[in-house]
Amino acid sequence: MASRKKTLLKVIILGDSSVGKTSLMNQYVNRKFSNQYKATIGADFLTKELTVDDRTVTMQIWDTAGQERFQSLGVAFYRGADCCVLVFDVTAPNTFKSLDSWRDEFLIQASPREPENFPFVLLGNKVDLEPRAISAKRAQQWCQSKNNIPYFETSAKEGLNVEQAFLAIAKNALAQQNSTVDLYNEFPDQIKLTNTQKTSNNGDSCAC
Amino acid sequence: MDFEFPKEFDVIIVGTGVIESILSAAASRVGKRVLHIDENEYYGGQWASFNLEAIMKLKNSQKERIANKSDSNFLSFGNDLFNIKNIDYKFHVLPKKNKVCSEEKDKEVVDNNLQEVSQDDNEETWDEELLIKTSRKFNIDLCPKLQYARGNFVELLISSNIARYSEYRSVTRILTWLNNHLEPLPCSRSDVFANTRVSVVEKRMLMKLLTSLNDEEKETQNYESKTFKEFLTDKKLTSNLVHYVLYGISTSSDHTQCKEGIQKAKRFLNSLGRFGKTPFLFSMYGSGEIPQAFCRLSAVFGGIFALGQPIEGFALNDEKFKSLTVRSQTIKAEHLVMGIENLPKQFIKSKKHDYISRCILITNKSVLDCEKEQLTLIFYPPENNKSFTTIIELGYLTGTCPNNVYLVHLIAKQDTSPQEDFKHIIDKLFINSYHEMAENNHDKPHILWSYYCSINDSNDVELTEDLPKNIFVCPGPDLDLDYDFSVTKAKKIFNAMYPDLEFLPRAPDPEEIIIGDDEITEEAKEITEEAKEITEEAKEITEEAKEITEEAKEITKEMTEEAKEITEEAEETTENEINDVKNEKQETISEERQHTVE
């Protein structure tokens, strides 16, 4: 696979409030953890560069910004996702039960081209806490029933398995990009508004 | 839903239209506690985008809420004045492949070349069933907007850093209906020179005019009460050039005042050469993304969002908004902002208002075929008393429709009804019926599906004077191409609520925010606190020392004074004593002398 100039992966993290979505991405990108729980404020998206199979990849991880609390994530949030990370809290059974609806919601809103092959990754977070409500076996069974979603048990607090999980996320997202023809370039020549943008007379010009 | 809302906010916003969403972002950005709710399950209200199935489910009228009459201080949200009206849609393709129809088509196929055969294949593919099946590929705007590349809205997106939540695409060509066909509008210098329909003399005239428009004051001196059309005609422009400038570059009509026409032309010309060949941008996935981008920023800064809320009403106290009732929870706030469709009827002064006529089409090809997919803006001039119409044709690359079909939006000020307002345009540009399809007319696009409706233009609606001072009302969609009205209105309301705060200052980039450093920050804070205390203490000690020194000085001074006084006294005393002695002596002497004399 010829390496592209720059690969940008958009990853979104979904799951019930307070399962540790912000903590996981913050642990992964900034290697920091804050014990004080507060509804996500100031968390937007974090960017990390990593190398996967000799390819430099920029992973952009998008937080829900708290809009999941009252099921108010707009469809705009899901646009162009390359991978969806589902998170539950291994000590809170309700957060595990919600996984089905989060997965369905993603498939409806993002409406990926091949829903059955879209890369999901499941993270069972807070394994440092007791008592445990959802066993690894139960989580794995769920993953198997959903076309073998990879499963990782993590602790954002202790940084356990976080690095490995996100590496798998990047790999799966890349595999998706490679297998689906032109998925990454579904809508080429999009314009990002910035101050420095120069006049572009790109491929749009046409004789007519 | 097992979460409760906090009981108090700085501002509650009801409705997620563009203006409400801009305000939400602005208030949240400067640290205000925002609760933003909407009765709908989706963002955007009448500014939203819908998939094909969803837009067909929109209702002409919503239920009117019944006011709680027992209490005059409790008002129910909503009125029936600003609902979408005259919704009418249909499929122009048959539900399933139809024998009769395809037979007729077969006849055509023989006469036509290969390319058209393949197009016919596409046509046949698009039956009702397939359109419904690809429903989610559609993002159909009720209120499609374009952005001027250097307009107020784009500048706001960039300066506030909200631009990071959306992507755009350039409008690739602008067409206008002139001399009974569609032709490209020459809008830049290079366009003018490249245009083969404009003569050399006309080119020179047009260039001169475009350049002179910058010298606005000089140009408009004698045209204060005249129309832009008169101004252009007096410039002795040919009728084609008047058309280009009036209906194209200045997006004006016959009655537009000269000054306004020039301003609009400048707005157009100023936006050339920034992002593409034309001055316009279109937001990927439709205009319904715009309110969501602002809401996202609001959420990032702590705004709480809840869609699909059964909003009941709000309580007044002392003629001011006091609290809102939602899901039987009472929530207080200092200000209430709402979309005009949520305003209780009693606060609306004028019951009549303007409408925007809308027509939305799904077609099988572009109005003007081209090798590459185009994003087309068409200015259709006023014709036989019909209003100026803006047409936007979107292809697959905008993320608003599936491949091989086009989504066409028609927008005009409503005159009679959407159907009648656009009939002349539909007849000229599209093939509308099975009958027409059967005729030998393959140039024009076929309409696969059409949707008509009337949207309220509530921007000039007057409100009553007894509207509580801490309630702010946001009007709905307008006819402008861009969001300039919305930005202006949002700024005005923001300044009324928070006159001393900045409107949407630049939001930091994610890299600038470090989350999770609370502990370190706390520690740093403590150390700073301690340092402060020590400094304070040191200051106090210095102060004290100073005082002591002062005191000591004073004491020394006093003592010196005293010593002086004592010395002086002593001196005086000595002198006196000497004098006394002298006197005594003299007395004694004189006495003795007397004695001696006696």
Side-chain angles (χ1 to χ4, degrees):
Chain A
M1 184 78 209
S3 69
R4 281 169 242 216
K5 243 198 300 188
K6 199 181 171 191
T7 305
L8 181 75
L9 293 177
K10 179 178 173 179
V11 173
I12 65 174
I13 302 196
L14 289 178
D16 283 358
S17 288
S18 78
V19 295
K21 298 183 291 295
T22 312
S23 297
L24 278 164
M25 56 188 266
N26 202 29
Q27 173 62 256
Y28 176 59
V29 178
N30 295 324
R31 292 177 199 285
K32 280 181 187 125
F33 179 80
S34 168
N35 220 348
Q36 280 170 285
Y37 172 72
K38 56 181 166 217
T40 309
I41 289 181
D44 199 347
F45 58 88
L46 293 177
T47 313
K48 180 152 172 152
E49 240 176 49
L50 67 162
T51 310
V52 184
D53 305 332
D54 297 331
R55 264 174 89 177
T56 306
V57 175
T58 307
M59 190 151 62
Q60 207 175 55
I61 310 161
W62 286 71
D63 199 3
T64 54
Q67 281 176 306
E68 82 286 8
R69 247 204 304 174
F70 299 98
Q71 281 95 59
S72 302
L73 277 167
V75 62
F77 176 71
Y78 297 91
R79 302 275 188 219
D82 296 300
C83 180
C84 175
V85 181
L86 299 169
V87 185
F88 74 99
D89 174 350
V90 295
T91 68
N94 282 338
T95 66
F96 181 74
K97 280 181 205 142
S98 306
L99 290 175
D100 273 310
S101 63
W102 280 119
R103 185 176 168 276
D104 292 348
E105 181 73 2
F106 176 86
L107 291 175
I108 290 170
Q109 298 284 2
S111 53
R113 272 193 191 172
E114 295 172 49
E116 61 284 357
N117 292 325
F118 189 85
F120 287 93
V121 172
L122 180 66
L123 308 185
N125 193 33
K126 302 196 188 179
V127 290
D128 54 287
L129 290 186
E130 292 286 342
R132 194 164 164 139
I134 305 294
S135 68
K137 200 178 156 199
R138 213 172 135 199
Q140 268 152 0
Q141 272 168 359
W142 185 85
C143 287
Q144 271 164 20
S145 75
K146 305 287 183 241
N147 216 357
N148 286 319
I149 295 177
Y151 175 61
F152 291 87
E153 302 215 317
T154 58
S155 162
K157 187 179 181 180
E158 285 162 12
L160 186 77
N161 249 345
V162 176
E163 190 86 32
Q164 292 88 326
F166 276 93
L167 189 65
I169 290 162
K171 277 187 177 171
N172 282 2
L174 276 177
Q176 161 82 358
Q177 282 197 346
N178 295 344
S179 68
T180 314
V181 189
D182 235 8
L183 177 90
Y184 178 55
N185 260 341
E186 189 171 11
F187 301 116
D189 302 329
Q190 292 183 38
I191 295 174
K192 268 277 177 200
L193 303 185
T194 57
N195 245 337
T196 50
Q197 186 108 16
K198 291 220 176 91
T199 313
S200 67
N201 224 340
N202 49 28
D204 289 338
S205 23
C206 182
C208 63
Chain B
M1 214 170 312
D2 39 0
F3 290 101
E4 285 228 323
F5 294 119
K7 291 190 170 48
E8 207 182 329
F9 288 87
D10 292 316
V11 53
I12 296 173
I13 302 176
V14 181
T16 51
V18 168
I19 302 173
E20 298 94 300
S21 302
I22 297 176
L23 276 165
S24 178
S28 183
R29 176 67 189 86
V30 293
K32 299 296 169 189
R33 295 166 300 163
V34 176
L35 174 64
H36 201 157
I37 57 177
D38 196 317
E39 197 176 27
N40 298 319
E41 297 279 354
Y42 51 85
Y43 282 97
Q46 293 192 2
W47 310 77
S49 309
F50 300 88
N51 66 46
L52 185 59
E53 281 181 289
I55 199 166
M56 292 192 286
K57 279 182 194 143
L58 286 181
K59 296 274 170 5
N60 271 314
S61 58
Q62 61 196 58
K63 57 177 194 307
E64 202 183 340
R65 295 177 201 84
I66 298 149
N68 187 346
K69 278 167 194 149
S70 62
D71 186 355
S72 64
N73 272 332
F74 188 85
L75 304 173
S76 299
F77 278 110
N79 59 71
D80 55 356
L81 293 169
F82 301 106
N83 298 327
I84 303 167
K85 292 185 174 67
N86 306 324
I87 295 178
D88 181 23
Y89 59 85
K90 68 174 179 196
F91 286 91
H92 296 239
V93 281
L94 300 176
K96 290 240 163 115
K97 280 180 197 173
N98 182 297
K99 275 269 168 187
V100 183
C101 190
S102 55
E103 248 177 38
E104 288 197 29
K105 270 179 193 155
D106 286 343
K107 261 189 259 166
E108 309 287 331
V109 170
V110 183
D111 302 330
N112 288 300
N113 62 28
L114 268 173
Q115 200 188 345
E116 271 165 345
V117 172
S118 68
Q119 264 174 11
D120 265 24
D121 284 347
N122 277 339
E123 253 164 61
E124 280 185 332
T125 324
W126 288 111
D127 55 19
E128 183 176 334
E129 208 176 83
L130 187 60
L131 283 172
I132 290 289
K133 206 178 147 197
T134 52
S135 167
R136 296 206 63 87
K137 295 273 177 201
F138 287 98
N139 285 299
I140 306 174
D141 292 324
L142 279 181
C143 176
K145 290 280 187 189
L146 297 173
Q147 285 77 50
Y148 282 88
R150 280 195 190 86
N152 294 338
F153 184 72
V154 164
E155 295 303 345
L156 176 68
L157 284 178
I158 294 171
S159 67
S160 64
N161 226 342
I162 293 171
R164 64 185 179 219
Y165 302 128
S166 45
E167 279 86 40
Y168 294 81
R169 187 163 281 282
S170 282
V171 169
T172 56
R173 62 178 178 187
I174 304 176
L175 307 176
T176 183
W177 182 260
L178 177 62
N179 304 327
N180 222 25
H181 61 262
L182 284 175
E183 57 174 78
L185 175 81
C187 49
S188 64
R189 276 158 201 265
S190 55
D191 279 1
V192 173
F193 286 111
N195 195 312
T196 50
R197 293 181 212 269
V198 184
S199 74
V200 179
V201 180
E202 283 180 314
K203 276 177 190 169
R204 220 172 285 148
M205 286 163 91
L206 188 57
M207 284 309 299
K208 206 179 144 198
L209 179 83
L210 295 185
T211 319
S212 73
L213 285 180
N214 281 324
D215 202 358
E216 186 190 345
E217 265 178 44
K218 204 175 124 201
E219 291 296 327
T220 54
Q221 255 169 19
N222 303 316
Y223 288 90
E224 268 168 20
S225 58
K226 291 186 182 171
T227 64
F228 190 45
K229 193 176 184 179
E230 285 173 295
F231 170 82
L232 294 172
T233 319
D234 287 358
K235 287 262 162 196
K236 302 212 167 53
L237 298 185
T238 61
S239 62
N240 281 3
L241 291 189
V242 171
H243 180 106
Y244 289 148
V245 178
L246 187 65
Y247 306 130
I249 289 168
S250 78
T251 60
S252 296
S253 70
D254 295 351
H255 310 294
T256 306
Q257 290 296 299
C258 183
K259 202 169 179 187
E260 191 193 340
I262 288 186
Q263 269 167 4
K264 286 171 113 179
K266 282 173 81 176
R267 186 183 179 200
F268 182 105
L269 296 168
N270 285 342
S271 284
L272 279 168
R274 188 177 199 181
F275 293 117
K277 282 212 310 175
T278 74
F280 298 105
L281 296 170
F282 179 77
S283 57
M284 285 291 301
Y285 310 106
S287 303
E289 302 286 294
I290 299 294
Q292 293 182 57
F294 284 88
C295 288
R296 164 94 191 170
L297 187 92
S298 179
V300 166
F301 281 88
I304 294 181
F305 282 80
L307 299 178
Q309 295 302 309
I311 44 169
E312 289 160 43
F314 57 93
L316 299 181
N317 185 17
D318 221 5
E319 290 172 5
K320 279 184 90 182
F321 162 74
K322 192 181 124 211
S323 64
L324 170 102
T325 307
V326 55
R327 288 196 278 123
S328 59
Q329 234 192 300
T330 302
I331 304 160
K332 285 185 186 167
E334 208 179 316
H335 300 291
L336 175 67
V337 174
M338 64 175 107
I340 197 162
E341 69 278 9
N342 291 309
L343 187 67
K345 211 175 189 168
Q346 67 194 78
F347 295 120
I348 298 160
K349 205 188 231 171
S350 46
K351 304 285 188 243
K352 274 187 187 161
H353 58 271
D354 287 338
Y355 285 94
I356 301 168
S357 268
R358 290 282 290 113
C359 169
I360 306 161
L361 307 171
I362 298 172
T363 64
N364 67 332
K365 64 174 184 176
S366 171
V367 284
L368 198 62
D369 252 343
C370 183
E371 284 167 54
K372 275 193 176 172
E373 182 183 309
Q374 299 283 324
L375 205 170
T376 313
L377 168 64
I378 303 167
F379 293 126
Y380 201 100
E383 202 177 82
N384 302 329
N385 294 325
K386 301 283 187 195
S387 311
F388 179 95
T389 300
T390 305
I391 305 169
I392 303 169
E393 187 190 67
L394 306 167
Y396 165 73
L397 289 175
T398 60
T400 60
C401 61
N403 214 343
N404 294 325
V405 297
Y406 282 83
L407 189 61
V408 186
H409 289 282
L410 290 87
I411 310 135
K413 186 178 190 310
Q414 182 165 310
D415 187 29
T416 47
S417 73
Q419 270 95 341
E420 282 188 41
D421 288 347
F422 296 128
K423 189 173 181 304
H424 63 297
I425 300 175
I426 302 285
D427 287 346
K428 280 184 187 121
L429 297 182
F430 304 98
I431 296 171
N432 198 2
S433 64
Y434 304 119
H435 177 70
E436 277 180 85
M437 280 182 204
E439 282 170 21
N440 191 5
N441 196 344
H442 279 268
D443 287 346
K444 297 187 200 171
H446 291 175
I447 296 173
L448 308 174
W449 174 86
S450 66
Y451 186 99
Y452 289 91
C453 68
S454 305
I455 309 254
N456 305 276
D457 185 346
S458 50
N459 285 269
D460 293 325
V461 171
E462 274 185 75
L463 305 178
T464 61
E465 268 113 53
D466 62 343
L467 179 74
K469 295 283 172 278
N470 58 347
I471 293 183
F472 299 90
V473 180
C474 306
D478 55 68
L479 269 169
D480 191 53
L481 278 173
D482 199 350
Y483 291 106
D484 286 34
F485 287 162
S486 305
V487 174
T488 308
K489 185 75 188 173
K491 243 186 208 170
K492 205 174 150 194
I493 294 177
F494 180 82
N495 287 334
M497 290 196 292
Y498 309 115
D500 302 323
L501 295 175
E502 195 184 343
F503 178 75
L504 284 171
R506 179 181 169 278
D509 286 325
E511 301 83 60
E512 296 166 38
I513 308 169
I514 295 158
I515 314 155
D517 268 2
D518 298 0
E519 281 160 39
I520 292 169
T521 319
E522 277 310 307
E523 236 169 79
K525 252 191 200 163
E526 265 168 46
I527 290 167
T528 319
E529 246 0 89
E530 250 168 66
K532 248 191 201 166
E533 266 168 46
I534 291 167
T535 320
E536 251 352 274
E537 247 169 68
K539 245 191 200 165
E540 264 169 48
I541 291 168
T542 320
E543 230 25 70
E544 243 169 72
K546 245 191 200 166
E547 264 169 47
I548 290 168
T549 320
E550 249 354 271
E551 240 171 75
K553 257 190 197 164
E554 251 167 62
I555 290 168
T556 319
K557 219 180 171 185
E558 261 170 50
M559 279 166 107
T560 321
E561 295 274 313
E562 238 170 78
K564 239 190 196 169
E565 262 171 49
I566 292 167
T567 322
E568 265 169 41
E569 234 172 78
E571 267 172 25
E572 246 172 67
T573 328
T574 326
E575 229 169 86
N576 285 349
E577 266 168 32
I578 292 172
N579 281 349
D580 280 350
V581 176
K582 268 187 188 170
N583 285 346
E584 258 172 51
K585 261 189 185 169
Q586 270 180 351
E587 266 170 43
T588 332
I589 292 167
S590 40
E591 261 174 43
E592 272 172 18
R593 272 187 192 162
Q594 260 186 352
H595 279 285
T596 5
V597 173
E598 277 173 20

